[in-house]
Amino acid sequence: MRASFVLLPGDGIGPEVTAGAHKVLRAVARTYGHDFEFDWRPVGGIAIDEFGDPLPLSTLEACRSADAIILGAVGGPKWDDPDAKTRPEAGLLALRKELDLFANLRPITAHRQLIDASPLRRDLIEGVDILFFRELTGGIYFGDSSLSEDGRVAQSVMEYSVGEIERIVRMAAGAARERRNRLSSVDKANVLEVSRLWRRVAARVMSEEFPDVDYEVVLVDAMAMHLISRPRDFDVVVTGNLFGDILTDEGSMLPGSLGMLPSASLGEEQPGLYEPIHGSAPDIAGQDLANPLATILAAAMALRHSVGLADEAAAVERAVDSVLDSGMRTKDIAAGGKFFGTEAMGDAVAEAVAGSAA
Ligand code: IPM
Ligand code: MG
């Protein structure tokens, strides 16, 4: 199989963790006889420095013609000036919007080897397996926004159309069918008109097209509590852009290892965009301290969702599992004990992939 990847290392620890994913993808290609092409492009702060634009046209065009895009992280204090013309994050938002990547999948799973890294008790966390579908190209992130001339009043509008709600609910409900057949839709329908539309449209899609899927609605503030008090009860969760941004950061703390969590952003067509949930961590950048496993697991999601190589994706996931079983840890998950560097961790997973072909 031939496949082309665009790699967008970005800023901070982005280049180091992306290098880990690259290593593992090359191991997959060698081991399973595929032909993967890699095209490295700038995005985020480094692209602002080089091109004055966090998403240069050449990067966007390379992305459009790839099968899958893997991104490290964007942002850092260097580009944090509130008066700057543009910000690294704008590159990521533009990429999502330009490629119409309306569905952001964020799996929250507690790796059994790392349960004790969770801030929650083991009995609450064991067996947690949630898949968030966060709407990614609409809502308050992309609604009208303005600042009054005197600078004393600002507004950002949360807007959703029927079509935008239908497509994300459909995708989430379809995924629920492949899992434990439960979908929770999260909104703020007791206050917001936009949430009342969300709720009506979601209910109609579910009753007409997914009557077999166990469906519930949850208010976003209550969801913030339930995620901590009974996280095992959730299977697939679908919600809007801002609520999803907040709830998935909360959810990412459940397994106690932000460095382990990948995400995928998908549209109706390819390519998808795959990235770790964590940020650019400028404080540890360039020191071989970052955990590359989230980006490596994101590469596995790319193999599954964009390249059609589900077996190879599973092989990467098993390789990560076996490296964790061997006791190898990066600093963030070492609980103060002995730890290995970013490079060593990437090498270990690549070797485990190579050893996985029977
Ligand atoms: C995320 C991030 C982004 C977002 C930022 C970097 C713009 O927090 O992917 O969750 O808010 O969507
Ligand atoms: Mg976020």
Side-chain angles (χ1 to χ4, degrees), residues 15 47 91 213 299 333:
V213 174
I333 50 175

Side-chain angles (χ1 to χ4, degrees), residues 106 134 141 245-246 248-249:
R106 297 188 168 187
R134 165 190 174 195
Y141 273 58
D245 179 46
I246 299 166
T248 56
D249 260 26

Side-chain angles (χ1 to χ4, degrees), residues 74 89 92-93 96 106 134 136 141 241 245 249 275:
V74 296
E89 291 81 358
L92 182 55
L93 294 175
R96 291 171 178 171
R106 297 188 168 187
R134 165 190 174 195
L136 201 59
Y141 273 58
N241 206 341
D245 179 46
D249 260 26
E275 51 183 315

Side-chain angles (χ1 to χ4, degrees), residues 206-351:
M206 294 310 293
S207 71
E208 287 177 5
E209 301 172 36
F210 301 89
D212 54 307
V213 174
D214 187 6
Y215 175 65
E216 64 169 355
V217 292
V218 189
L219 291 171
V220 61
D221 49 349
M223 186 66 187
M225 290 195 301
H226 299 330
L227 262 186
I228 304 292
S229 61
R230 49 181 187 85
R232 234 184 342 254
D233 289 352
F234 299 98
D235 177 14
V236 178
V237 177
V238 65
T239 190
N241 206 341
L242 181 63
F243 299 157
D245 179 46
I246 299 166
L247 290 176
T248 56
D249 260 26
E250 185 189 356
S252 72
M253 279 288 102
L254 297 176
S257 42
L258 192 57
M260 298 293 304
L261 298 174
S263 86
S265 303
L266 309 177
E268 305 282 8
E269 306 192 355
Q270 296 303 342
L273 169 67
Y274 301 85
E275 51 183 315
I277 284 195
H278 62 69
S280 61
D283 51 319
I284 59 162
Q287 300 169 47
D288 200 32
L289 285 176
N291 183 348
L293 293 179
T295 316
I296 289 170
L297 290 168
M301 292 184 91
L303 291 172
R304 179 174 294 118
H305 295 288
S306 286
V307 188
L309 293 176
D311 291 345
E312 284 80 346
V316 171
E317 288 158 356
R318 276 196 310 275
V320 167
D321 224 36
S322 73
V323 168
L324 290 175
D325 277 339
S326 77
M328 196 170 181
R329 301 283 184 269
T330 43
K331 187 165 186 221
D332 58 312
I333 50 175
K338 176 177 161 51
F339 62 87
F340 289 82
T342 313
E343 286 208 38
M345 185 57 110
D347 289 338
V349 178
E351 255 167 56

Side-chain angles (χ1 to χ4, degrees), residues 97 100 102 135 137-140 142-143 157-170 193-202 204-205 240-241:
K97 192 74 180 172
D100 203 16
F102 65 86
E135 200 290 330
T137 50
I140 197 166
F142 293 96
V157 175
M158 189 185 290
E159 182 179 299
Y160 271 114
S161 69
V162 170
E164 284 174 319
I165 301 165
E166 283 172 346
R167 62 184 187 172
I168 185 80
V169 170
R170 260 188 208 121
E193 194 60 46
V194 61
S195 282
R196 288 193 278 273
L197 179 68
W198 180 286
R199 198 175 270 209
R200 279 198 302 278
V201 172
R204 175 175 50 73
V205 170
N241 206 341

